[in-house]
């Protein structure tokens, strides 16, 4: 920056300071404070700012000061008690009883005259030694020091050398206290001197820092200069109100499916096993239906199966394939098991419920859902009992496996993924079954993202009455959100730590 | 899902050529297995539950030989007649009704085969066998067995010498003292008598599904085997028998059948002949969105170990170990896998249908965005909760709520019927962060409702907590009124409400005469029970109720 620009960025105090220093050279801030009529604090603050702009240099020097204590000040005016005592003795009063009345703190005085060897106490009388007599007449070093320091700050260096030696004794006696003081010296830098002429040029024009209604109304700004700010200076951190990142992602996913022409489907969290499993052609002894994985309800324990005709078709399909062309699972299907309530383990329960509501004339149809699903897990850093899933179905004559890959490719690209693949997988209710995987550069490996497939005829035909292809998928998106937000564990993802939420970036899709 | 360990050298020998880990890592997943990583001697692979035939290294090598084009088409497995007979006593009906068996001869038991068979048996027991309940397998030295054998039941005091024991023990002992017996005793829990396989001399081959007899112990010298499979499902045990027999056959053994005499039928097992399925080429092409000629389809089927003949309508011979094929669609998937999932060109079809979001979701999003304007932070909490959080800590009287029967963790054993406790918990978890902490959530609670098909329904709610040193009633009431003003709704207040709020500083708000909101200052007793030292003013609103007014 050139000197002119810098001059414009100086605030009022910084400019004053620089002008003050113009002819002075290095100065103490305490002196400047007096000269400029500002508090020392203000001068130092201005100096510190000015230093960041490179116009002045700023040095600190620590010096030691001495000062009388309250007791010291008292003795400075009244005299040291031991001196007062020996003077009285020299003047002829030697009985302790009389002296007590004259000298209020005689005990202190007695200690000192004896330790100094000035007097002896014999049968209630004080007898001065030779030293004592001499001392009574002369003024002592300590008295000199008290006199000098009376109402005055004295620097260590400012004291006559023999006096310096007495200071520790006086400090010990509690008459003198020492204080450290920091002297701050400021001086214009070379660059600062180049800036000074521009500061002078600003002259007496008012310089505006905060623009106020008064300045605007009064027109003061017309003749004023705006102090220019250092835009790199840090500003306070704000914590604005914010949507939760998972909630932002859910909004995005919803928008994404709607833009692709999908209609939202809604449904129950608590669901009949019928809709969660049986209607998906999951045999009743399938391990996924175990208590170990699925939450079954105590209250409400079970519900009512839907219309008889549909239930009968599902039963026959499980048992012998009904008219679907399948062999079925070949076991006896139990309606009790199907009417047991559970917490939905996937939002695919919504998809089958939706298909059951469709009539052949409603086709083609595309539906999506976003919602929570539940798994009976022992909760730890990487397992939760509930998380989100987004299901999608496309129902219509002529939709194909290639179409399914088309929709899911769009979904993955929509989430910003570049390298992914589809590989064969297995789900009891789809055929083709497919797993979408994404390439994780750090791990140099494929990570499973979600399953998808075409519903088996054994799923579709009992629900809608005809054989029609249905594309279906049920991605969770926790891992993707974790990657985006650099959250390492799924527990943190749903932890609602305000530190994390306040810092979390906006979802930008 | 089961994971099997494969020795690379053994796999290469079965395949008949050298193969690299790299190739397998790339290609095996595309055949329909999960790559679980390299090991010192080879690799681990996850087998999907529909393909138990891949649980043996022999089966995996067989499938890969076809898939990679080296040995395509159906493999024929010959079954010779052993002339042996097994009698199935009707006493087994109540406890473990089904039994099938086979003889394999000329088995060369080397380390690789032993490892593979043990692994196969173990994995089949766990998956297809539902921990031996549905299917259990026994392998025996054929030599000592004198036919006919009998599958029957014996009382708990019946004795024989189980495998690995020095003396005879009774059946009761095996279920209560022997570790394997204790582990599987649940399968036979309420039986009066237990399943036993005896030979003509009355010697015990096995007590399925618990343990074999010492009598038919297999050792290095064993060349000929008798295999028994018992269980609760004839289809499942037959499938498992086929998988085991074909595994031995792939190692060069010969397979012989036995005759099973049930009271009402006579069976011969194993039957390793293929099943025939009728498949339309048009169905395959249309389902996949690929324009395949019949001979291409046939080629892809051959790459999956089938053979097929015909034109537009073809007849497909499906090998006996492919227990998953139950509909032509399963063959369509095989064609897709052989074609290559990665070679399909993804296409979004032109398919018009009505689109749009659920109106309640739109309303909820508008509310969420509106509340951000108040400077509130949105949180997303769990629906699962417990009674302590919902009632005890809130000082609210217990209510009927939706509860789970079998939670793994008691902390998550029911579903919330209010949002507010969830928000309180988040305040507690964030005590180390700066205040004010003003939070909101718009999400669902579950209300028990016997009038519904399931007995409960969800309800969309909104809750706000304002937590800072000056949080108070008037602040939260102001927020409530601002929300309602912006929805142009009129509210009538009642000076009562939830017990978590201070009396005289709480309200119930009625809209069109229906109570839809509750607000107030949280009682210090409740703050104390949560462990909060900061005042909290809170509000809960029935969003679904509000939304009904507009729709």
């Amino acid at each position: 920056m050139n000197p002119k620009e810098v001059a414009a960025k100086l605030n009022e105090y910084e400019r004053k300071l620089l002008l003050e220093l113009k002819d002075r050279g290095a100065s103490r801030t305490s002196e400047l404070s007096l000269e400029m009529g500002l508090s020392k604090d203000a001068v130092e603050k201005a100096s510190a700012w000015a230093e960041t702009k490179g116009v002045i240099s700023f040095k600190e020097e620590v010096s030691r000061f001495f000062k009388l204590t309250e007791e010291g000040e008292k003795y400075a005016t009244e005299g040291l008690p031991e001196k007062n005592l020996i003077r009285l003795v020299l003047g002829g009063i030697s009985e302790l009883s009389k002296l007590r009345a004259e000298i209020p703190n005689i005990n202190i005085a007695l200690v000192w005259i004896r330790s100094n060897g000035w007097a002896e106490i014999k049968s209630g009388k004080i007898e001065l030694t030779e030293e004592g007599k001499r001392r009574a007449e002369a003024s002592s070093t300590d008295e000199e020091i008290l006199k000098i320091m009376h109402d005055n700050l004295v620097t260590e260096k400012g004291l006559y050398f023999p006096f310096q030696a007495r200071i520790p004794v006086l400090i010990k006696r509690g008459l003198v206290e020492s204080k450290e003081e920091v002297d701050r010296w400021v001086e214009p830098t070379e660059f600062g001197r180049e800036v000074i002429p521009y500061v002078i040029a600003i002259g007496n024009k008012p310089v505006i820092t905060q623009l106020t209604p008064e300045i605007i109304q009064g027109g003061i700004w017309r003749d004023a200069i705006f102090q220019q700010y250092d835009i790199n200076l840090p500003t306070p951190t704000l914590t604005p109100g914010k949507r939760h990142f998972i909630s932002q992602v859910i909004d995005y996913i919803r928008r994404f499916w709607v833009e692709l022409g999908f209609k939202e489907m809604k449904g129950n969290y608590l669901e009949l096993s019928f809709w969660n499993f049986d209607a998906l052609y999951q045999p009743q002894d399938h391990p996924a239906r175990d208590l170990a994985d699925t939450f079954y309800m105590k209250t409400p324990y079970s519900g009512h199966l839907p219309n008889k005709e549909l239930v009968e078709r599902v039963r026959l399909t499980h048992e012998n394939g009904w008219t679907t062309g399948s062999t079925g699972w070949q076991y006896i299907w139990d309606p009790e098991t199907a009417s047991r309530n559970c917490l939905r383990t996937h939002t695919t329960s919504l998809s089958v419920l939706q298909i059951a509501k469709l009539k052949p004339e409603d086709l083609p149809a595309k539906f999506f859902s976003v919602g929570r699903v539940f798994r009976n897990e022992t909760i730890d850093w990487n397992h939760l009992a509930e998380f989100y899933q987004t299901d999608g179905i496309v129902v219509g004559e002529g939709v194909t496996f290639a179409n399914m890959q088309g929709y899911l490719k769009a979904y993955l690209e929509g989430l910003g993924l570049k390298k992914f693949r589809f590989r064969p997988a297995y789900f009891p209710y789809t055929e083709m079954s497919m797993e979408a995987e994404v390439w994780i550069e750090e791990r140099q490996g494929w990570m499973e993202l979600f399953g998808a497939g075409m519903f088996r005829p054994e799923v579709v035909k009992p629900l809608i009455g005809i054989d029609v292809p249905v594309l279906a998928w049920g991605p969770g998106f926790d891992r993707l959100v974790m990657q985006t937000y650099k959250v390492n564990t799924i527990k943190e993802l749903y932890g609602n730590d305000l530190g994390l939420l306040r810092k979390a970036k906006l979802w930008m899709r | 899902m089961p994971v099997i360990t494969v020795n690379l050298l053994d796999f290469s020998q079965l395949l008949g050529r050298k193969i690299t880990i790299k190739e397998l890592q790339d290609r095996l997943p595309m055949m329909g297995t999960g790559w679980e990583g390299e090991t010192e001697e080879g690799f681990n692979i996850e087998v999907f539950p529909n393909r138990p035939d891949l649980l043996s290294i022999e089966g995996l090598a067989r499938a890969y030989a076809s898939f990679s084009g080296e040995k395509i088409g159906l493999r024929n497995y010959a079954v010779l007649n052993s002339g042996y007979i097994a009698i199935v006593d009707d006493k087994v009906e109540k406890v473990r009704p089904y039994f099938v068996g086979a003889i394999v001869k000329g088995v060369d038991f080397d380390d690789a085969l032993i490892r593979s068979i043990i692994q196969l048996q173990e994995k089949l027991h766990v998956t297809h066998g539902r921990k031996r309940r549905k299917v259990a397998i026994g392998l025996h030295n054929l030599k000592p067995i004198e036919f006919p054998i009998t599958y029957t039941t014996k009382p708990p005091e019946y004795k024989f010498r189980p495998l690995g024991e020095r003396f005879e023990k009774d059946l009761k002992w095996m279920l209560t003292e022997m570790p394997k017996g204790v582990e599987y005793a649940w399968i036979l829990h309420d039986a009066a008598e237990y399943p036993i396989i005896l030979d003509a001399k009355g010697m015990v081959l096995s007590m399925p599904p618990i343990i074999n007899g010492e009598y038919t112990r297999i050792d290095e010298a064993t060349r000929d085997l008798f295999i028994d499979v018992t269980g609760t499902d004839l289809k499942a045990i037959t499938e498992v028998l086929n998988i085991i027999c074909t595994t031995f056959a792939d190692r060069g053994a010969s397979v012989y059948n036995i005759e099973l005499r049930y009271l009402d039928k006579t069976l011969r097992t194993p039957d390793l002949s293929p099943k025939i399925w009728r498949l339309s080429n048009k169905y395959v092409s249309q389902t996949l969105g690929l324009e395949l000629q019949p001979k291409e389809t046939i080629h892809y089927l051959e790459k999956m170990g089938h053979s097929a003949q015909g034109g537009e309508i073809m007849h497909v011979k499906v090998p006996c170990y492919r227990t998953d094929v139950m509909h032509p669609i399963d063959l369509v998937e095989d064609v897709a896998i052989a074609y290559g999932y990665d070679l399909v060109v993804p296409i979004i079809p032109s398919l018009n249908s009505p689109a749009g979001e659920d109106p309640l979701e739109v309303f909820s999003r508008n509310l969420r965005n509106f509340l951000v304007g108040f400077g509130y932070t949105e949180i997303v909490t769990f629906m699962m909760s417990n009674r302590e959080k919902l009632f005890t800590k809130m000082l609210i009287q217990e209510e009927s709520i939706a509860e789970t029967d079998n939670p793994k963790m008691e902390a998550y054993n029911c579903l919330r019927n209010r949002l507010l406790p969830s928000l309180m918990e988040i305040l507690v978890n964030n005590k180390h962060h700066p205040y004010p902490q003003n939070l909101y959530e718009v999400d669902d609670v579950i209300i028990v409702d016997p009038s519904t098909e399931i007995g409960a329904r969800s309800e969309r709610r909104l809750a706000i907590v304002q937590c800072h040193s000056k949080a108070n009633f008037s602040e939260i009431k102001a927020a409530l009124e601002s929300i309602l003003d912006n929805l142009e709704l009129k509210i009538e207040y009642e000076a009562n409400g939830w017990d978590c709020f201070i009396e005289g500083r709480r309200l119930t708000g009625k809209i069109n005469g229906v109570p839809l909101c509750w607000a107030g200052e949280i009682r210090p007793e409740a703050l104390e029970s949560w462990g909060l030292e900061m005042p909290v003013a809170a509000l809960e609103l029935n969003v679904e109720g509000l939304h009904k007014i507009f729709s």
Side-chain angles (χ1 to χ4, degrees), chain B residues 43-106:
Chain B
F43 57 96
N44 287 336
I45 203 92
E46 180 189 52
V47 175
F48 302 150
N50 63 328
R51 291 294 303 269
D53 58 304
L54 303 182
L55 288 171
S56 72
I57 300 171
E58 295 77 8
L60 190 71
R62 179 203 304 145
Y64 190 71
S66 299
F67 181 66
S68 60
E70 272 150 284
K71 196 172 176 189
I72 64 170
L74 186 79
R75 299 191 189 198
N76 286 307
Y77 293 98
V79 178
L80 304 168
N81 203 336
S82 75
Y84 292 143
I85 290 168
I87 297 152
V88 181
D89 189 342
D90 60 348
K91 282 187 350 186
V92 297
E93 183 69 32
K94 275 178 249 141
V95 43
R96 196 168 179 82
Y98 297 106
F99 167 71
V100 291
I103 309 286
V104 291
K105 289 185 179 175

Side-chain angles (χ1 to χ4, degrees), chain A residues 244-272:
Chain A
H244 193 293
F245 49 81
I246 290 178
S247 173
Q248 296 179 54
V249 174
I250 290 171
D251 277 2
Y252 169 73
I253 287 173
R254 218 178 236 118
R255 202 185 78 221
F256 177 86
W257 292 123
V258 171
E259 284 173 0
L260 269 183
F262 284 65
K263 189 171 167 60
E264 185 163 13
M265 49 189 176
K266 294 289 291 285
N268 298 315
Y269 297 96
L270 267 72
E271 198 46 276
L272 292 168

Side-chain angles (χ1 to χ4, degrees), chain A residues 241-244 247 251 254 258 260-264 266 268-272 281 285-287 291-292 294-304 324-327 329-330 340-341 343 364-366 368 372 374 376-379 384 386 388 394 399-403 405-407 409-410 421-426 431-434 454 456-458 494 496-499 501-502, chain B residues 29-33 48-50 130 133-134 235 277 283 286-289 326-330 332-333 336-337 341-342 344-349 351-358 360-361 365 368-369 372 375-384 401-409 412 415-416 426 430 432-434 436-437 439-441 443-444 446 453-456 458 460:
Chain A
K242 210 192 264 184
R243 297 284 306 276
H244 193 293
S247 173
D251 277 2
R254 218 178 236 118
V258 171
L260 269 183
F262 284 65
K263 189 171 167 60
E264 185 163 13
K266 294 289 291 285
N268 298 315
Y269 297 96
L270 267 72
E271 198 46 276
L272 292 168
Y281 193 55
D285 76 338
H286 194 276
L291 292 165
T294 303
F295 282 113
Y296 287 95
M297 301 309 294
K298 184 157 76 184
T299 351
Y301 185 84
S302 60
H304 305 290
T324 62
S326 169
T327 61
W329 290 115
Q330 300 179 24
R340 189 83 164 82
N341 284 332
L343 287 176
K366 306 198 286 287
F368 79 96
R372 289 170 198 253
F374 302 84
N376 195 2
E377 291 271 13
T378 301
I379 291 161
L384 291 179
E386 52 181 288
Y388 280 93
V394 180
V399 300
T400 68
F401 181 59
N403 294 156
Q405 289 200 359
Y407 284 114
K409 179 171 179 269
R421 71 173 184 185
F422 302 118
R423 68 158 174 85
Y426 170 73
E431 194 83 13
M432 290 32 73
S433 297
M434 185 171 97
M454 294 174 76
R456 297 186 65 95
E458 294 97 323
Y494 289 95
N496 289 293
D497 179 77
L498 284 181
L501 292 183
R502 284 168 174 169
Chain B
M30 299 317 288
M31 188 179 88
T33 58
F48 302 150
N50 63 328
R130 304 283 193 270
R133 184 185 56 78
K134 196 174 175 185
K235 179 170 172 274
W277 284 88
Y283 178 58
Q286 277 187 351
T287 307
L288 295 178
M326 59 171 86
H327 188 281
I329 194 72
D330 295 299
V332 178
E333 184 182 74
I337 292 171
Y341 275 33
D342 47 349
V344 172
V345 178
I347 304 162
I348 294 186
L351 198 73
N352 293 322
S353 61
E357 286 173 86
D358 183 86
L360 181 62
E361 295 300 336
R365 185 174 57 240
R368 288 184 180 114
N369 288 339
V372 168
Y376 299 156
T377 302
E378 186 186 19
I379 57 170
V380 174
T381 64
F382 295 133
M383 289 179 74
M384 298 204 79
I401 49 171
E403 283 176 280
T404 62
D405 210 359
N406 56 317
K408 279 197 185 139
M409 293 185 94
Y412 300 90
L415 290 142
R416 64 182 175 200
I426 301 307
N430 280 289
H432 56 294
H433 287 301
Q437 295 182 1
L439 315 176
Y440 77 96
E441 180 167 23
D443 215 320
D444 293 330
I446 302 290
E453 193 182 73
I454 295 143
S458 65
R460 181 61 49 91

Side-chain angles (χ1 to χ4, degrees), chain B residues 142-376:
Chain B
L142 179 66
K143 214 175 201 175
I145 302 173
E146 197 160 307
F147 283 84
I149 56 172
T150 308
Y151 177 48
T152 181
T153 63
K154 290 288 179 190
E157 25 334 317
Y158 182 83
K159 283 187 175 176
F160 76 96
R161 187 177 160 199
L163 192 64
E165 290 291 331
R166 293 181 61 189
F167 304 105
E168 284 197 342
K169 301 283 184 184
D170 64 43
L171 305 188
K172 180 100 194 146
W173 180 90
M174 290 179 217
L175 292 178
T176 53
E177 303 294 329
M178 193 178 62
K180 276 283 167 215
V182 172
E183 190 181 342
Y184 295 104
W186 61 275
I187 299 167
L188 301 173
H189 67 285
D190 52 5
E193 294 205 345
Y194 303 125
I196 287 287
I197 305 172
L198 299 166
D199 79 350
K201 289 184 286 191
M203 293 298 286
V204 173
L205 276 62
S206 168
M207 176 196 184
I210 310 296
I211 192 151
N212 280 358
E214 181 66 30
Y215 177 54
T216 53
R217 171 188 279 279
I218 294 167
D219 57 34
E220 307 87 63
T222 305
R223 289 288 170 271
D224 302 338
L225 299 176
F226 166 65
I227 302 163
D228 83 82
V229 186
T230 59
T232 55
D233 182 329
L234 183 59
K235 179 170 172 274
I237 63 172
T238 309
E239 289 167 355
V240 164
L241 183 67
N242 290 354
I243 288 166
I244 293 174
C245 289
T246 48
T247 296
F248 279 113
D250 281 359
R251 291 274 185 180
S254 320
V255 180
Y256 293 76
N257 66 13
I258 63 168
E259 186 178 309
L260 298 152
R261 292 189 181 163
Y262 283 76
L263 194 66
D264 56 346
K265 60 185 170 247
T266 298
L267 306 172
R268 275 176 208 281
T269 61
D271 175 3
L272 303 183
S273 60
K275 284 210 182 69
I276 300 194
W277 284 88
R278 192 171 168 276
L279 185 67
S280 145
N281 185 57
K282 194 173 148 208
Y283 178 58
V284 176
S285 297
Q286 277 187 351
T287 307
L288 295 178
L290 301 171
E291 290 190 5
L292 297 174
Q293 295 302 313
K295 63 173 196 223
E296 290 176 279
T297 302
I298 288 170
H299 173 70
Y300 292 129
L301 286 167
E302 285 172 347
K303 283 184 81 175
M304 297 303 282
H306 311 288
S307 69
Q309 282 172 326
E312 268 307 317
I313 298 296
M314 53 188 79
H315 290 88
V316 186
K317 286 184 177 170
V318 176
C320 63
Y321 51 81
R322 282 298 301 275
T323 60
D324 59 308
V325 177
M326 59 171 86
H327 188 281
I329 194 72
D330 295 299
L331 298 172
V332 178
E333 184 182 74
D334 271 14
V335 171
I337 292 171
Y339 181 90
Y341 275 33
D342 47 349
L343 298 177
V344 172
V345 178
I347 304 162
I348 294 186
S350 152
L351 198 73
N352 293 322
S353 61
E357 286 173 86
D358 183 86
L360 181 62
E361 295 300 336
V362 176
F363 184 56
S364 298
R365 185 174 57 240
N366 290 342
L367 282 174
R368 288 184 180 114
N369 288 339
F370 179 64
L371 290 171
V372 168
F374 286 59
Y376 299 156

